[in-house]
Amino acid sequence: MKEKWWHDKVAYQIYPKSFKDSNGDGIGDIRGIIEKLDYLQELGIDLLWLSPIYCSPLADQGYDISDYYNIDPRFGTLEDLDELIAEGKKRNIGIVMDLVVNHCSDEHEWFKKAIEDPDGPYGKFFYIEDYKKGDKLPCNWRSYFGGSCWEPLPGHEDKLYLHVFHKKQPDLNWENPLLRKEIYKMINWWLDRGIAGFRIDAIINIKKKLPFCDYPADRADGLSSIENMLKEATGIGEFLNEMADECFRKHDSFTVGEVFNEKDSDLPLFIGEDGYFSTMFDFSTTFIDETGISTVEPVKDLQEKYKKASFKAHKRVDGIGLLSNIIENHDEPRGVSRYIPKEDLSDKSKKMLAGVYFMMPGVPFIYQGQEIGMENLSEVKSLSELDDCANPDLYRRAIEDGLTEEEALKLISLRSRDNARTPFQWSGDVNAGFSDAEPWLMLNPKYKDINLEKQHDDPESVFSFYKKLIKLRKDKEYERTVVYGDFEPYEEEKKNLLCFKRILDKRILVAANYQREPQVLELDEKVKAVLISNNAELAEKVTEAGTRILLQGYDYLVAELGEE
Ligand code: TEU
Ligand code: CA
């Protein structure tokens, strides 16, 4: 693999609205992020991805952009952002912005002009179709947030526009070269400002299968998941390659694509040496509990499914490129609540989960609060407590699928995107130290137990464990093996044992007993030194134990293999 400047980086995702409020309006902001840069530096972060902070009506929390060239006043100003970029540089932290170009906001001036004159140049920036009342819709695609993806164009009874997400997020028409030119101009404007790159939102949706047509209905609403269309859409590569050429390659930017449903044959094009993106997220483990039918039952064989999914993902890109690894993000429930059985949730199991994904090949991303082990909201009492525009559909589907109202709410507390969006728990003080005012979204009630202040100076805390993991990745002696080492699953068939080697100039073993019962790990080579573990006793015993190691429940260990 040709070495790139970003290969050895550790990234951190900030959800700005919930990170730190600097001016007492209950909403996190850029100055709040600047305040916490020293904290992020101490943790060991190199790249900081900010979820959108552009001007937005916040119908989908900033993923609906009304001005690509400015910062929403709730988050600050362009000057604040320039300061963040400069302060980041001082600490070797690069700023990665969110690039949301499948759609904009219905309050963007392009859409306003399209409404004024649907047949004019800006009408062609969108997908606008003629429609006679009573007619069949142009197609039966279901928007990601539920309901049809067609909506009447305001002021035009005889026209519809397409939105695959929220109705306030009209899709941009990438088939139009003038639109693409505008997008590239905007991207370069940001890159020239000094950002390190972009996380690229929902990008797989920019290529539609045209002309619009129906797909077999997959629910009682008669609509069809967008995925059915995406499977048949071809030719996205032309757009992505053009964007890379016009923008990213010129700047040697870091880009991470939010890519789903890619085919094996696409991988070299997407993340190969001269791919459209630097890397893309590994979402494979997020599918193990997505059955399509609403349920609050725990997943069967969760641990084995987790292992198989993540191993498969990394083997699949072996020799091609690097994935970006996550256990959660702003669209997903908290990883510790999702991937650890409820009765086993503890600091120890949280550290195990952290250690496993961190030592896989790829770029690790930490989502804000993950480093202190933030958990899901346990008991949502009413939808009105929450905010996310995806909640009503999640709830409605649950009822449709036969869940009781109580179960539907339980599903919300297991699955809602708001789980990850509650304010960062800085301390056990009022508003968890996030703001002087009442936060825009409820706090997680567990903040008195789980907060940074409590963990910061405790060497046994989840936070200190993350620090150690990052330190290990950056340790000159092991760095190359951790970044470029081969990935070799070990004893993969052994139930709930998650074990692999990373091999280059060093031979590193990563082992996790992903269950509460103890189990024995038989090694085929000797342990030279334990580099990190979530069990001090284990760390002491291992080198004496020879090649037979007794792992207690949720024990985790990284060791260097070889003779003394
Ligand atoms: O998400 C894209 C996406 O396909 C999903 O993760 C989506 O959030 C989910 O299916 C809806 O329930 C990205 C952003 O990460 C997400 O926050 C935005 O809502 C979405 O794009 C639209 O911009
Ligand atoms: Ca604020």
Side-chain angles (χ1 to χ4, degrees):
M1 197 184 304
K2 195 169 142 205
E3 291 182 22
K4 302 274 172 71
W5 67 266
W6 51 268
H7 280 163
D8 58 355
K9 301 299 180 229
V10 175
Y12 187 96
Q13 180 190 355
I14 287 192
Y15 196 67
K17 207 174 176 186
S18 296
F19 188 60
K20 178 73 176 93
D21 174 22
S22 73
N23 62 349
D25 62 0
I27 297 177
D29 44 58
I30 299 175
R31 302 220 67 85
I33 302 174
I34 296 174
E35 268 177 43
K36 297 295 180 187
L37 276 177
D38 287 335
Y39 164 69
L40 295 164
Q41 185 183 24
E42 181 200 343
L43 181 58
I45 299 305
D46 308 296
L47 291 171
L48 208 54
W49 155 30
L50 310 183
S51 276
I53 47 173
Y54 313 91
C55 293
S56 166
L58 304 188
D60 184 20
Q61 296 306 350
Y63 285 92
D64 47 321
I65 298 171
S66 55
D67 183 355
Y68 286 101
Y69 290 94
N70 214 337
I71 303 294
D72 193 282
R74 281 165 285 204
F75 296 127
T77 61
L78 271 174
E79 289 67 42
D80 292 335
L81 186 77
D82 286 340
E83 193 177 321
L84 176 65
I85 296 171
E87 289 298 320
K89 278 197 180 128
K90 283 188 201 160
R91 296 167 178 82
N92 288 320
I93 296 177
I95 304 299
V96 174
M97 297 278 277
D98 214 310
L99 183 63
V100 189
V101 287
N102 172 69
H103 43 267
C104 60
S105 162
D106 64 341
E107 296 181 33
H108 192 286
E109 66 161 341
W110 294 339
F111 196 68
K112 289 186 190 155
K113 286 183 184 159
I115 292 174
E116 268 166 35
D117 179 11
D119 298 318
Y122 289 99
K124 298 191 176 60
F125 272 33
F126 299 91
Y127 292 99
I128 296 176
E129 294 284 305
D130 292 333
Y131 180 70
K132 262 210 287 339
K133 234 191 169 146
D135 272 7
K136 208 182 131 305
L137 295 170
C139 66
N140 70 340
W141 307 349
R142 180 187 306 106
S143 92
Y144 287 104
F145 298 132
S148 166
C149 63
W150 293 100
E151 189 70 18
L153 187 69
H156 301 269
E157 273 184 13
D158 57 344
K159 292 195 189 305
L160 302 171
Y161 70 92
L162 177 80
H163 62 91
V164 305
F165 289 93
H166 196 276
K167 66 179 180 195
K168 284 184 69 64
Q169 293 169 304
D171 279 58
L172 292 165
N173 184 355
W174 274 70
E175 305 295 334
N176 179 351
L178 291 177
L179 176 269
R180 300 205 299 276
K181 219 174 134 196
E182 281 294 333
I183 300 277
Y184 305 152
K185 190 175 101 191
M186 177 273 288
I187 295 175
N188 284 321
W189 186 85
W190 282 104
L191 291 173
D192 291 337
R193 234 182 157 86
I195 63 168
F198 285 103
R199 172 266 185 183
I200 304 173
D201 185 70
I203 194 66
I204 226 67
N205 295 282
I206 63 171
K207 187 74 194 186
K208 273 79 177 168
K209 171 95 167 96
L210 298 173
F212 294 113
C213 69
D214 284 357
Y215 291 89
D218 47 27
R219 286 185 70 86
D221 59 8
L223 302 175
S224 172
S225 157
I226 300 276
E227 274 171 35
N228 295 323
M229 175 280 287
L230 292 177
K231 271 184 216 148
E232 289 195 5
T234 51
I236 192 173
E238 283 158 45
F239 297 156
L240 298 181
N241 199 43
E242 185 181 74
M243 174 162 61
D245 259 347
E246 295 288 330
C247 314
F248 308 137
R249 288 176 185 139
K250 286 183 195 163
H251 288 85
D252 194 19
S253 327
F254 170 78
T255 52
V256 48
E258 191 197 21
V259 178
F260 293 99
N261 307 97
E262 72 290 346
K263 302 177 193 78
D264 284 355
S265 55
D266 286 340
L267 288 170
L269 296 167
F270 276 74
I271 57 164
E273 204 168 293
D274 201 25
Y276 313 138
F277 308 127
S278 311
T279 164
M280 61 194 221
F281 288 111
D282 172 25
F283 290 116
S284 58
T285 56
T286 67
F287 299 116
I288 63 184
D289 55 5
E290 272 173 16
T291 53
I293 296 284
S294 317
T295 172
V296 291
E297 294 304 317
V299 195
K300 284 206 187 74
D301 281 332
L302 168 81
Q303 296 87 337
E304 281 296 294
K305 283 182 182 146
Y306 186 94
K307 171 169 70 183
K308 294 212 167 86
S310 55
F311 281 17
K312 191 173 157 201
H314 291 288
K315 282 191 255 173
R316 189 169 167 243
V317 300
D318 195 20
I320 298 173
L322 292 184
L323 292 171
S324 284
N325 303 326
I326 58 164
I327 62 165
E328 64 200 40
N329 65 25
H330 67 293
D331 291 334
E332 303 292 339
R334 289 287 180 177
V336 292
S337 302
R338 185 181 201 172
Y339 301 119
I340 299 167
K342 201 173 161 202
E343 56 286 4
D344 293 349
L345 195 52
S346 66
D347 280 1
K348 187 176 186 192
S349 55
K350 288 177 183 180
K351 292 176 192 171
M352 186 218 75
L353 188 67
V356 165
Y357 98 100
F358 230 78
M359 294 301 287
M360 299 255 181
V363 179
F365 273 68
I366 298 172
Y367 176 72
Q368 67 178 48
Q370 182 188 320
E371 75 277 26
I372 55 168
M374 278 179 67
E375 299 173 7
N376 275 353
L377 289 162
S378 37
E379 251 174 81
V380 176
K381 289 182 199 71
S382 141
L383 275 195
S384 63
E385 288 182 331
L386 298 182
D387 173 274
D388 180 26
C389 67
N391 289 336
D393 189 53
L394 189 60
Y395 186 86
R396 196 165 42 230
R397 282 172 83 123
I399 300 290
E400 249 176 53
D401 288 346
L403 267 55
T404 62
E405 285 176 23
E406 205 181 317
E407 287 167 335
L409 276 179
K410 189 169 173 208
L411 185 74
I412 294 282
S413 45
L414 290 172
R415 302 306 304 245
S416 170
R417 305 196 294 183
D418 285 326
N419 279 304
R421 298 178 178 186
T422 59
F424 190 104
Q425 294 156 205
W426 295 103
S427 72
D429 297 344
V430 67
N431 302 325
F434 161 74
S435 172
D436 295 338
E438 193 189 329
W440 71 278
L441 179 65
M442 72 186 285
L443 288 165
N444 188 312
K446 292 168 211 148
Y447 76 92
K448 288 210 190 293
D449 285 328
I450 303 174
N451 63 64
L452 178 69
E453 195 178 49
K454 224 173 141 182
Q455 297 187 22
H456 187 269
D457 298 326
D458 173 3
E460 300 306 320
S461 67
V462 174
F463 170 71
S464 295
F465 198 75
Y466 269 94
K467 260 173 76 175
K468 281 183 217 158
L469 284 168
I470 297 178
K471 229 173 130 200
L472 175 62
R473 278 191 72 98
K474 297 189 171 186
D475 185 323
K476 284 281 159 281
E477 230 182 295
Y478 302 103
E479 184 175 35
R480 289 197 61 78
T481 308
V482 177
V483 175
Y484 295 109
D486 286 342
F487 171 70
E488 265 187 22
Y490 183 73
E491 296 258 66
E492 197 177 342
E493 297 313 317
K494 232 177 150 197
K495 197 168 172 220
N496 299 349
L497 178 74
L498 208 154
C499 192
F500 52 90
K501 295 181 183 175
R502 303 294 314 278
I503 299 167
L504 197 68
D505 36 344
K506 298 278 178 186
R507 301 179 66 78
I508 294 178
L509 170 85
V510 179
N513 182 21
Y514 197 170
Q515 61 179 14
R516 62 163 65 188
E517 298 78 19
Q519 74 172 313
V520 172
L521 165 66
E522 297 272 8
L523 288 176
D524 57 356
E525 41 188 325
K526 273 200 178 149
V527 169
K528 193 168 164 187
V530 173
L531 305 179
I532 191 168
S533 175
N534 63 354
N535 176 355
E537 267 175 46
L538 171 73
E540 272 170 33
K541 279 190 222 146
V542 161
T543 29
E544 294 150 32
T547 54
R548 203 183 134 85
I549 299 171
L550 179 66
L551 297 173
Q552 299 299 327
Y554 294 96
D555 266 2
Y556 168 82
L557 141 109
V558 183
E560 185 177 349
L561 299 171
E563 298 294 332
E564 290 280 338

